[in-house]
């Protein structure tokens, strides 16, 4: 049988593609390499404790995305949750998004003055080469603020010196914000003098974690007649006369006219036959990833702290962020206890990645106690989850590598449509992944001509200032 649409991956992008195809009257075949759906947005369950691969806010400025989430999950299961997050640095908590009064108080008057002077210094003498993250941010915030709020965390996330990270990543996350604009935002005044609405004070979240959204989508799609096969890792895609032949690791083969691929873009050059030029193959090899592991600790305390998550800018510990799943949803935890998720940014094979689970749990417990985020001996049990390829790396050459692969696909493989996060090597949230899927399906079925590579690049979010990770930032 020749499928009109075959989808690789049952994460948010793949399942949304099937959801959109259903609306347009097409039944799809979805092939997922793992034994479960949801991709990075899954919820892991261990011994009755549920936790995310990093906390997942359901937040978007794209109404269409909210519509899809609401179609999948009824309002009883899709909670509106209060948000609180802070930065921990030198034993102090800074509100996040940053607030001028709180930052000033914590930094102390002398450090605050130094920060402002350092800002004026870069206004007069901006760093010459602003192609890298460090100089780009320092030019907009001054060196002192850069060192306090950006450097440590960014280097923890990416595992390299901030001068090796492209400025694209900063500009995507921080847009045109500068210290002056941040101060105005901190007082909640935008250009037109209006108070910024507090859209970011709340967010939607499935009662039992993000996985619930995608597990529900999976079940509903099966009910509607889509085929979704798990444990089907794609290892080869070959172009036959007028269709593609897709081969899975266990040797099964499927025919399709169009393939929506959320498998890593980096893997397409070596997966598709006939093989592309050496240059395109090299581009695939040179797209890099940062991997991730989370240690979930069950804590014998009602809530440990009120935040949903805390960014750890403290240089003396390895943990980058701590999630509090009881704050995300009370349904994620059990009476009188909470579950904290310590996030470590790693590379496959490095010391932390290879460490035995027991040692990781001991390290995580020790670090939480050192940071005084939990009382001594209140950690009861722990679980480790490793997630390869959690972050597509934006190094100095990544965009050229993407361009080479995208060019080759558009010329030689018009039936293969990259969608989603790793699928397009874009450091983006679920909403972006979903929209690339929706628009690609419309391109195929309705002959629309949406440029998938332009989606979300210009979208802005009601967030004030990002120090790195997933929180998008407000455009001025
Ligand atoms: C720590 C962290 C926190 C995050 N927080 C948020 C947040 O707060 N809000 C938010 O909206 N987003 C957040 N995100 C981003 C979100 O996880 C992703 O945007 C989203 O999961 C991407 O969906 P996707 O379908 O494109 O990719 P994925 O989720 O990666 O799914 C891809 C699927 O394809 C499968 N696959 C890969 N290769 C193959 C193959 N060869 N054959 C078959 N199947 C294959 C994978 O197994 C996977 O299931 C966060 C991400 C991380 C890492």
């Amino acid at each position: 049988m020749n499928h009109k649409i075959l989808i690789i991956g049952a994460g948010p992008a793949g399942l949304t593609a099937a959801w959109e195809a259903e609306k347009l009257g097409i039944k799809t075949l979805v092939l997922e390499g793992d034994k479960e759906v949801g991709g990075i947005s899954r919820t892991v369950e261990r011994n009755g404790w549920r936790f995310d691969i990093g906390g997942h806010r359901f937040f978007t400025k794209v109404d269409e995305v909210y519509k899809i989430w609401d179609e999948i999950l009824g309002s009883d299961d899709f909670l509106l949750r209060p948000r609180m997050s802070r930065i921990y640095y030198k034993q102090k908590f800074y509100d996040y998004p940053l607030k001028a009064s709180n930052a000033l108080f914590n930094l102390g008057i002398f450090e605050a003055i130094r920060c402002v002077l350092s800002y004026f210094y870069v206004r007069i003498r901006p760093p010459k080469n602003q192609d890298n993250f460090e100089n780009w941010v320092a030019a907009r915030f001054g060196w002192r603020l850069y060192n306090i709020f950006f450097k440590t965390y960014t280097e923890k996330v990416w595992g390299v010196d901030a001068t090796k990270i492209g400025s694209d990543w900063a500009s995507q996350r921080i847009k045109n914000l500068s210290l002056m604009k941040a101060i105005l935002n901190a007082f909640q005044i935008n250009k037109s003098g209006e108070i910024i609405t507090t859209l970011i004070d709340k967010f939607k979240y499935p009662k039992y974690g993000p996985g619930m959204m995608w597990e529900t989508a999976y079940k509903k799609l099966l009910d509607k007649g889509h085929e979704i096969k798990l444990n089907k890792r794609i290892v080869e895609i070959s172009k036959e006369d007028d269709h593609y032949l897709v081969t899975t690791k266990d040797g099964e083969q499927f025919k399709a006219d169009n393939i929506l691929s959320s498998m890593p873009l980096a893997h397409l050059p070596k997966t598709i036959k006939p093989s592309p030029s050496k240059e395109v193959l090299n581009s695939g090899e040179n797209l890099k990833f940062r991997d991730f592991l989370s240690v979930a600790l069950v804590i014998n305390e009602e809530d440990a702290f009120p935040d949903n998550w805390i960014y750890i800018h403290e240089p003396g510990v390895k943990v980058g962020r701590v999630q509090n799943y009881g704050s995300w949803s009370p349904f994620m935890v059990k009476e009188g206890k909470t579950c904290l998720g310590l996030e470590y940014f790693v590379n496959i094979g490095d010391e932390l990645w290879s460490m035995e689970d027991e040692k990781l749990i001991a390290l995580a417990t020790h670090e939480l106690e050192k940071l005084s985020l939990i009382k001594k001996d209140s950690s009861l049990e722990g679980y480790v989850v490793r997630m390869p390829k959690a972050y597509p790396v934006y190094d100095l050459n990544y965009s050229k590598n993407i361009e080479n692969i995208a060019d080759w696909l558009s010329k030689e493989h018009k039936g293969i449509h990259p969608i989603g996060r790793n699928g397009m090597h874009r450091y983006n949230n679920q909403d972006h992944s979903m929209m690339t899927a929706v628009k690609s399906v419309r391109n195929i079925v309705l002959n629309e001509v949406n440029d998938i590579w332009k989606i979300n690049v210009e979208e802005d979010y009601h967030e004030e200032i990002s120090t790195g990770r997933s929180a998008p930032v407000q455009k001025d």
Side-chain angles (χ1 to χ4, degrees):
M1 179 189 170
N2 209 16
H3 297 273
K4 184 166 173 74
I5 296 182
L6 182 152
I7 298 165
I8 303 178
L15 292 175
T16 302
W19 198 263
E20 180 65 16
E22 169 67 23
K23 289 181 187 167
L24 301 177
I26 309 273
K27 302 292 176 202
T28 62
L29 168 66
V30 183
L31 300 175
E32 165 57 52
D34 273 355
K35 62 179 187 324
E36 56 200 310
V37 302
I40 307 173
S41 304
R42 76 184 59 162
T43 302
V44 178
E45 181 165 350
R46 299 280 164 82
N47 205 14
W49 295 95
R50 290 178 70 87
F51 45 89
D52 306 9
I53 310 281
H56 273 66
R57 274 196 302 163
F58 284 64
F59 178 75
T60 181
K61 287 198 76 187
V62 185
D63 289 342
E64 248 180 305
V65 170
Y66 275 127
K67 190 164 172 278
I68 297 171
W69 285 335
D70 288 334
E71 285 164 0
I72 299 172
L73 218 54
S75 56
D76 285 351
D77 290 328
F78 201 25
L79 313 177
L80 186 63
R81 297 293 301 154
R83 172 205 162 144
M84 178 174 175
S85 51
R86 289 178 294 174
I87 293 170
Y88 183 93
Y89 176 70
K90 290 206 172 157
Q91 295 165 6
K92 290 198 173 125
F93 288 99
Y94 292 78
D95 289 341
Y96 180 86
L98 291 172
K99 296 215 173 66
S101 53
N102 165 270
L104 203 71
F105 181 77
N106 276 338
L107 287 172
I109 186 71
F110 293 116
E111 183 57 44
I113 290 170
R114 276 191 215 114
C115 289
V116 173
L117 290 177
S118 156
Y119 170 73
F120 284 118
Y121 176 79
V122 289
R123 302 312 296 163
I124 301 162
R125 282 175 185 265
K128 282 201 184 79
N129 168 11
Q130 293 181 25
D131 288 348
N132 67 60
F133 179 86
E134 176 162 300
N135 289 354
W136 193 96
V137 178
R140 281 149 186 87
F141 292 89
W143 287 101
R144 283 196 92 84
L145 278 177
Y146 164 74
N147 280 313
I148 296 172
F149 290 117
F150 297 89
K151 183 178 166 67
T152 328
Y153 187 75
T154 304
E155 291 183 348
K156 265 187 199 174
V157 173
W158 297 110
V160 291
D161 197 276
T163 54
K164 301 274 189 307
I165 300 163
S167 60
D168 278 13
W169 186 67
S171 55
Q172 183 183 328
R173 289 294 154 206
I174 302 165
K175 301 254 164 79
N176 267 337
L177 208 64
S178 68
L179 177 62
M180 276 309 146
K181 289 173 191 166
I183 288 174
L184 291 179
N185 283 353
F187 285 111
Q188 300 213 307
I189 299 168
N190 67 11
K191 246 193 218 161
S192 56
E194 294 162 354
I195 302 289
I196 294 169
T197 52
T198 53
L199 252 182
I200 48 163
D201 291 345
K202 295 192 174 70
F203 59 85
K204 300 277 275 185
Y205 189 73
K207 191 170 173 179
Y208 295 113
M212 184 186 191
M213 177 69 71
W214 304 113
E215 287 153 25
T216 311
Y218 166 61
K219 285 184 200 125
K220 289 190 173 177
L221 284 164
L222 287 178
D223 286 348
K224 289 174 198 290
H226 293 254
E227 268 188 276
I228 305 176
K229 293 173 178 271
L230 306 180
N231 293 312
K232 293 287 171 196
R233 188 153 297 278
I234 282 43
V235 290
E236 190 174 299
I237 303 170
S238 48
K239 192 171 182 184
E240 312 260 290
D241 301 334
D242 58 350
H243 64 267
Y244 287 96
L245 188 67
V246 172
T247 308
T248 62
K249 199 173 170 194
D250 59 5
E252 220 179 324
Q253 293 194 311
F254 302 90
K255 282 185 191 170
D257 295 335
N258 292 284
I259 296 173
L260 292 171
S261 165
S262 68
M263 66 184 275
L265 185 74
H267 293 181
L268 285 185
K270 65 180 181 196
T271 305
I272 297 176
K273 301 287 177 284
S275 291
S277 67
K278 197 142 183 64
E279 193 191 359
V280 174
L281 280 169
N282 285 342
S283 289
E285 292 297 323
N286 291 331
L287 284 176
K288 301 286 180 230
F289 299 88
R290 184 82 165 139
D291 311 294
F292 176 90
L293 73 82
S294 179
V295 182
L297 296 179
V298 175
I299 306 296
N300 195 13
E301 291 178 36
E302 179 84 40
D303 41 23
F305 47 82
D307 310 60
N308 306 90
W309 69 88
I310 298 178
Y311 294 99
I312 308 294
H313 285 214
E314 199 73 12
V317 290
K318 292 193 164 75
V319 62
R321 205 165 55 153
V322 184
Q323 303 288 342
N324 185 357
Y325 289 110
S327 295
W328 283 83
S329 163
F331 298 94
M332 303 275 278
V333 294
K334 300 177 193 175
E335 193 76 40
K337 300 187 179 69
T338 195
C339 180
L340 304 181
L342 284 84
E343 301 178 3
Y344 294 90
F345 310 104
V346 294
N347 288 330
I348 290 179
D350 72 10
E351 190 196 348
L352 282 177
W353 181 270
S354 318
M355 199 179 270
E356 286 164 21
D357 287 6
E358 285 68 33
K359 289 196 176 144
L360 279 168
I361 292 164
L363 172 76
T365 307
H366 170 71
E367 293 201 331
L368 270 192
E369 288 176 355
K370 185 172 172 187
L371 296 168
S372 303
L373 289 178
I374 56 166
K375 296 192 193 94
K376 204 162 168 31
D377 300 326
S378 61
S379 169
L380 300 175
E381 51 191 298
Y383 306 95
V384 177
V385 180
R386 293 173 176 78
M387 175 52 76
K389 298 193 172 50
Y391 297 98
V393 169
Y394 282 14
D395 58 22
L396 301 175
N397 302 315
Y398 89 100
S399 56
K400 183 68 200 147
N401 290 324
I402 293 178
E403 205 180 300
N404 285 342
I405 300 172
D407 266 7
W408 159 66
L409 288 176
S410 70
K411 286 184 190 128
E412 307 282 329
H413 296 287
K414 292 197 189 336
I416 298 182
H417 309 259
I419 54 170
R421 179 165 162 121
N422 288 343
M424 299 175 72
H425 205 84
R426 281 275 165 85
Y427 178 85
N428 270 330
N429 283 332
Q430 292 173 98
D431 57 348
H432 172 266
S433 304
M434 293 167 66
M435 282 317 291
T436 57
V438 167
K439 300 278 184 182
S440 296
V441 170
R442 289 182 191 162
N443 284 351
I444 296 167
V445 183
L446 304 175
N447 290 320
E448 286 184 4
V449 253
N450 303 295
D451 185 346
I452 302 304
W453 297 99
K454 292 210 172 119
I455 292 176
N456 211 30
V457 175
E458 294 306 324
E459 294 288 355
D460 58 352
Y461 290 78
H462 280 257
E463 185 82 283
E464 290 172 23
I465 170 172
S466 165
T467 56
R469 244 238 32 85
S470 73
V473 292
Q474 184 181 342
K475 251 168 77 173
D476 61 343

